[in-house]
Amino acid sequence: MNKNYDAGLFNGSADSCQSGEIACSPEGEFAVCNEGSWSMIQCDNGSTCYAYTSGGLLEVGCNYENQKFSFTKRDYVFGGIFKRGFVFGQ
């Protein structure tokens, strides 16, 4: 997922989305789909948006920048359109 985010593909497409989907922008902003368009929300200083695992779940949101490297080489399947989804393939 982080590779898609870095490439500007959000949840697979930069051009369309379903309301309620969440993702990250290539600039590290938290992105929420609103009526078919991505709306960006700036993360706090010292944090950036990326996908990461937490307690067996996949999280998408703002977290510490210095921890992002731990998650950039992994690809996960994200279940659902909400903040948390199950992590498959671990």
Side-chain angles (χ1 to χ4, degrees), residues 40-87:
M40 307 305 166
I41 302 167
Q42 185 68 41
C43 292
D44 287 338
N45 287 339
S47 67
T48 189
C49 186
Y50 57 92
Y52 55 96
T53 55
S54 177
L57 297 174
L58 181 66
E59 301 271 351
V60 176
C62 298
N63 203 353
Y64 298 107
E65 290 177 11
N66 62 356
Q67 293 180 355
K68 183 179 178 182
F69 75 92
S70 300
F71 305 100
T72 56
K73 296 181 181 179
R74 303 176 187 166
D75 290 324
Y76 298 105
V77 176
F78 181 62
I81 59 173
F82 299 103
K83 183 175 181 189
R84 294 177 182 242
F86 291 101
V87 177

